Amino acid sequence: MNAQTPVAVLGGGSFGTVLANLMAEKGLPVRLWMRNAEAVAEVNATSHNTHYLPGITLAPSLQATTDLSEALAGVEVVFVAIPSSGFREVLRQAVPLLTPEQILVSTTKGIEAGTFCLMSQIIQQECPVARFGVLSGPNLAKEIAAKQLTATVIASTDETARERVQALLHTSYFRVYASSDTYGVELGGTLKNIYAIAAGLSAALGMGENTKSMLMTRSLAEMSRFAVSLGANPFTFLGLAGVGDLIVTCMSPLSRNYRVGFALGEGKTLQQAVDALGEVAEGVNTLRLVKEKAESMDIYMPLVSGLYEVVFNHAPVKEVARGMMLNTQSTDVEFVLPRQES
C-alpha cells in the first residue's frame, strides 16, 4: 500500500486523539472514530477536542466520525485506543468490517476484568487471522501534543507490521523503537499503572526522594517477578515499556493514575478521585485484578497487596507502610531469567 492509504484510530480520548493528530500533521489521511457525536462535530468543525486536549489545535485534515464502517473502509493500519472495559465490545463490532491484510495495533494499557486478558489476547481471540501489535512506552499524551521529545515501542512478531507502524508514527519529536516481545511490552505498560497510584499517594503525603527511589525500584522488581511468572521476558522491563514508562508515570502529575493516587493521599474517596479525573485510570482496575492473580499463583507482591488495602479497604497508609518495612528483607536485584518449560 502507498503512503496515502488511510489510517484509522478507534477511540478519541487523549492518546487516541494525539496519535491521530500526529499522523494527520504528517499529511496522512487519518480517520478518528469516536462514540460521542458532539465530540466528532467539534473536531470536524473547529479542529479541537476540548474535553481531552484543551488548548491543542488539531490538524485540519483530521476527520472524525461516529460511523465505524466509514472509519475502517480501505485503511491499512487500525490503532485501537479504547479503554480495557470496552475494548472487546468495539473490536467485535469492527471484526466484520476488517480484512486480513489490515494491521491492528493496541495502545491500551489495561487488563480485561473476568478473563485477565491483555488487549493483544483479545485481538487474537476475536480476530484470529489478524496481524497485530501493541504500542507502549512513556507517552504522556499532553507532552506529545506539545511536541516534547518522546519515544515509544511497537511490539509485534510481524516484522512488516513493526516497520509500517514505525514509518507511520516517526517524526522529529516522536521516535519509535521495535520489539518482538509483544506480551512483555504490553504487560509492562499495564503493570506500571498500579505503581503510579502508589507514587501519587506518597507524593501527597509528603514522602521524600529516598522514598520515591525505593518505591520505583521495588516496583520494578515486583513487576518483573510477576511478569516472569506469567512467561514474559524480564529484560523487556529494562526498556522504554518497563522502567521508562514506570519512571514517567510515577513522577508526573500529568499521569492519570498518579493523579488518582494523589487525590487519595489528600483524603478523597476512590470515587471522588476517579470522578475528579474525568478520564479512565486503568490502574484502579488493574490493581484489583493483579492482586487476585498474584494470590492465585502465590506470587509475592507486597506493594500490590499494601496498595490494595489502602485503595479498597481504607487502610491507614502509615500502618501499611510500616508493615511493609517489617517484611523479610530479600535480595536487591531480582531479574531472574524466564522459567523454562519442562
Side-chain angles (χ1 to χ4, degrees), residues 42 67 76 98 143 149 168 193 202 207 217 310 330 336:
E42 180 189 33
D67 187 334
E76 178 184 5
L98 297 172
E143 289 194 359
L149 300 180
L168 285 172
N193 286 329
S202 68
M207 295 185 184
T217 309
V310 172
S330 57
V336 294

Side-chain angles (χ1 to χ4, degrees), residues 136-138 153 184-185 188-189 192 220 223 236-247:
S136 190
V153 181
V185 165
K192 59 87 192 180
L220 187 62
M223 287 166 64
T236 297
F237 285 71
L238 296 177
L240 285 165
V243 67
D245 206 359
L246 180 68
I247 289 170

Side-chain angles (χ1 to χ4, degrees), residues 220-241:
L220 187 62
E222 194 164 293
M223 287 166 64
S224 173
R225 189 186 310 129
F226 185 79
V228 168
S229 297
L230 269 64
N233 184 343
F235 293 105
T236 297
F237 285 71
L238 296 177
L240 285 165

Side-chain angles (χ1 to χ4, degrees), residues 114-133:
T115 66
F116 205 82
C117 283
L118 298 177
M119 303 305 105
S120 66
Q121 294 171 315
I122 295 176
I123 292 174
Q124 289 173 284
Q125 291 169 6
E126 298 295 333
C127 194
V129 299
R131 304 165 66 193
F132 69 92

Side-chain angles (χ1 to χ4, degrees), residues 24-197:
E25 286 187 335
K26 292 178 64 175
L28 301 169
V30 183
R31 302 168 188 161
L32 177 62
W33 178 80
M34 308 164 75
R35 299 177 195 257
N36 189 315
E38 291 182 4
V40 165
E42 180 189 33
V43 170
N44 290 335
T46 71
S47 295
H48 286 89
N49 184 348
T50 53
H51 180 73
Y52 289 106
L53 290 176
I56 300 296
T57 300
L58 306 174
S61 60
L62 177 60
Q63 291 297 306
T65 180
T66 57
D67 187 334
L68 197 56
S69 60
E70 179 185 344
L72 295 173
V75 303
E76 178 184 5
V77 180
V78 182
F79 292 91
V80 189
I82 303 291
S84 61
S85 59
F87 195 97
R88 190 183 295 270
E89 175 200 346
V90 171
L91 193 59
R92 280 180 175 168
Q93 294 174 32
V95 165
L97 306 169
L98 297 172
T99 64
E101 296 78 27
Q102 289 171 318
I103 300 167
L104 301 180
V105 180
S106 168
T107 73
T108 302
K109 300 174 179 178
I111 298 170
E112 184 182 47
T115 66
F116 205 82
C117 283
L118 298 177
M119 303 305 105
S120 66
Q121 294 171 315
I122 295 176
I123 292 174
Q124 289 173 284
Q125 291 169 6
E126 298 295 333
C127 194
V129 299
R131 304 165 66 193
F132 69 92
V134 299
L135 193 76
S136 190
N139 301 154
L140 298 172
K142 290 180 175 62
E143 289 194 359
I144 300 172
K147 296 182 172 55
Q148 296 287 336
L149 300 180
T150 303
T152 195
V153 181
I154 174 63
S156 176
T157 55
D158 185 323
E159 183 179 2
T160 302
R162 295 195 301 266
E163 291 176 351
R164 190 66 192 115
V165 171
Q166 284 181 298
L168 285 172
L169 296 181
H170 179 260
T171 70
S172 60
Y173 61 91
F174 197 69
R175 187 171 177 83
V176 188
Y177 291 88
S179 169
S180 58
D181 184 16
T182 306
Y183 188 62
V185 165
E186 192 171 22
L187 198 55
T190 298
L191 292 174
K192 59 87 192 180
N193 286 329
I194 295 172
Y195 304 103
I197 297 174

